[in-house]
Amino acid sequence: TGTISSLQRQLEIQESQLRRCRSEKQMLQRELREREKELQALSAKFYSLGEEQEQAKMMVTMEKENRSLRQVVSELKSKRELQNELISELQGTVRRLQAEALSSQHQIRRQRREQEELQGRAETLQHRLLQTTVALESITSKATGLSTSLFFFLFYLKFERYRNKIIQATFRTAGTKPPQAELRDEEVLEALQ
């Protein structure tokens, strides 16, 4: 953005110089036309004079003025050529600055598109990471629940095996009667003691 504003400022400066040169060129052309009119007026004066002496004097004066006017005209022409060269240089600079500004705008638009794409990718990755984290936590909690349930289930199986062995050892000894109904844990403990 700074480059574009700098280029725009340079462009405005070059355009103002271009306008100034054009106005100077117009002023020089007006001055040239006025000098030509003066020359024509002097020529008309010369032809209107009737006497030879005055014509001779006027001729000398006209010659001097003609030389002076020719010099002024040649100076004005050289100035006009310089102004034309400056105008063409300024136009080239203006075109170059416009091209640079356009290129900078294209580059900024491309960088914005790339930034938006990267931001979209980052958001997608962040969303996937969140989903993965939630799934991992769910799997971890399920695995923890399963391992706890498995532990209690194995403990219960071992406990039942141990209980059955105690019952068999207690009621297989000589002089004991087998139980008539299902035994409670307290009854098994009393018989064992």
Side-chain angles (χ1 to χ4, degrees):
T1 306
T3 305
I4 289 175
S5 15
S6 173
L7 289 173
Q8 286 175 343
R9 280 196 299 276
Q10 288 181 10
L11 184 62
E12 289 170 0
I13 291 168
Q14 296 292 335
E15 285 177 344
S16 68
Q17 287 180 353
L18 184 62
R19 285 193 296 273
R20 192 172 63 244
C21 288
R22 284 180 178 161
S23 65
E24 287 179 8
K25 179 182 173 183
Q26 289 173 355
M27 187 180 68
L28 290 172
Q29 286 176 341
R30 278 196 303 271
E31 191 176 345
L32 181 62
R33 283 194 295 271
E34 288 172 3
R35 296 289 183 183
E36 286 175 351
K37 285 179 184 176
E38 288 176 7
L39 185 60
Q40 288 173 357
L42 287 173
S43 297
K45 265 187 193 178
F46 173 77
Y47 290 115
S48 66
L49 293 174
E51 299 176 0
E52 289 184 7
Q53 189 178 11
E54 289 180 6
Q55 283 182 358
K57 288 180 183 176
M58 279 300 281
M59 195 68 168
V60 172
T61 308
M62 284 289 292
E63 196 59 41
K64 288 179 182 177
E65 288 184 0
N66 278 342
R67 279 196 298 272
S68 173
L69 286 174
R70 284 191 197 106
Q71 188 175 354
V72 169
V73 167
S74 63
E75 288 174 2
L76 289 174
K77 283 181 180 176
S78 63
K79 278 186 180 179
R80 189 176 64 183
E81 288 172 2
L82 288 173
Q83 292 292 332
N84 287 336
E85 287 177 8
L86 182 59
I87 286 170
S88 61
E89 286 177 9
L90 289 173
Q91 286 173 341
T93 307
V94 165
R95 283 193 295 273
R96 183 178 54 79
L97 290 173
Q98 286 173 340
E100 287 178 8
L102 189 63
S103 172
S104 298
Q105 288 173 349
H106 285 312
Q107 188 175 1
I108 287 170
R109 279 198 292 270
R110 191 180 70 246
Q111 287 175 349
R112 281 182 185 160
R113 280 197 304 270
E114 289 173 358
Q115 186 178 3
E116 288 169 0
E117 288 175 6
L118 288 174
Q119 192 172 358
R121 287 181 190 170
E123 288 173 359
T124 304
L125 288 174
Q126 193 173 7
H127 183 64
R128 286 183 184 171
L129 178 63
L130 184 62
Q131 286 179 337
T132 306
T133 306
V134 169
L136 184 61
E137 287 177 0
S138 173
I139 289 168
T140 305
S141 63
K142 285 180 184 176
T144 306
L146 282 173
S147 62
T148 306
S149 302
L150 186 60
F151 170 75
F152 283 116
F153 179 69
L154 291 174
F155 178 76
Y156 175 73
L157 285 178
K158 286 192 177 189
F159 175 74
E160 282 297 315
R161 253 189 256 135
Y162 181 65
R163 185 175 183 269
N164 287 337
K165 284 183 182 179
I166 291 172
I167 292 170
Q168 288 172 5
T170 304
F171 291 103
R172 279 191 184 166
T173 55
T176 56
K177 295 178 183 178
Q180 300 296 321
E182 187 176 339
L183 294 173
R184 292 187 329 247
D185 291 339
E186 291 85 5
E187 293 173 340
V188 173
L189 184 58
E190 286 174 12
L192 180 61
Q193 288 173 345

